[in-house]
């Protein structure tokens, strides 16, 4: 999930770095960052994931006046139908994420995201039957159309629910 337009702002970079517990001066101290190879403040490696919060339709983003899918054992606002694991509604889960940076993200960039389906493959699970893996590829381009980040996410869903103990 990614917003179509995503502004990269210094305050967002600072808060994201703090939220992941990374105090690298390249993310928050302009003077120190100028002395680095990047030559200025840059965003941490997984920063583009926060673009989901700019997408009004992102399923995990709280919506004003609507029940929220919480993080407890029994989430609020969502009735699960079917099994197969977590991932916002049953039937699948997030398996892995990869980021390829073509250049550092900088405050002032405005990214445009395009998500396309990637590869799909299957494996046999020990207790769940067939596991179906599917990849999505999101390309983030800057305000000049230059490819900045390629993000690959892999989800997996099971053929049948796994019995919980």
């Amino acid at each position: 999930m990614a917003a179509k337009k995503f502004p990269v702002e210094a305050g967002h970079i600072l808060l994201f770095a703090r939220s992941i517990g990374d105090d690298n001066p390249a993310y928050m101290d302009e003077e120190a960052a100028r002395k680095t190879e990047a030559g200025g403040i840059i965003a941490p490696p997984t920063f583009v994931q926060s673009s989901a919060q700019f997408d009004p339709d992102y399923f995990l983003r709280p919506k004003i006046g609507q029940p929220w899918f919480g993080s407890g054992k029994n989430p609020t606002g969502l009735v699960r139908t079917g099994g197969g694991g977590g991932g916002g509604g049953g039937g699948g889960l997030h398996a892995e994420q990869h980021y390829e940076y073509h250049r550092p993200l900088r405050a002032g960039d405005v990214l445009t995201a395009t998500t396309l389906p990637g590869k799909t493959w299957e494996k046999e699970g020990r207790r769940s039957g067939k596991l179906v893996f599917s990849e999505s590829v999101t390309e983030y381009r800057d305000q000049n159309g230059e490819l900045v980040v390629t993000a690959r996410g892999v989800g997996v869903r099971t053929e049948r629910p796994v019995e919980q103990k």
Side-chain angles (χ1 to χ4, degrees), residues 12-120:
H12 293 149
I13 293 171
L14 170 68
L15 293 175
F16 187 88
R18 285 180 179 169
S19 74
I20 62 171
D22 193 334
D23 63 357
N24 185 330
Y27 307 143
M28 57 193 73
D29 181 341
E30 184 64 48
E31 187 176 324
R34 260 186 266 152
K35 297 174 187 173
T36 68
E37 181 182 346
I41 290 184
I42 59 172
T46 58
F47 182 78
V48 293
Q49 192 63 36
S50 64
S51 68
Q53 295 304 316
F54 286 82
D55 179 355
D57 298 322
Y58 180 52
F59 74 99
L60 289 176
R61 181 179 171 188
K63 314 263 186 319
I64 296 171
Q66 295 180 20
W68 180 60
F69 174 73
S71 60
K73 182 176 179 184
N74 297 312
T76 60
L78 183 68
V79 177
R80 291 189 184 269
T81 58
L93 58 90
H94 184 84
E96 51 184 77
Q97 188 73 40
H98 304 270
Y99 297 96
E100 179 182 358
Y101 274 73
H102 307 283
R103 73 156 174 83
L105 290 181
R106 301 182 182 285
D109 282 338
V110 178
L111 303 181
T112 302
T114 305
T115 302
L116 304 166
K119 301 179 220 166
T120 300

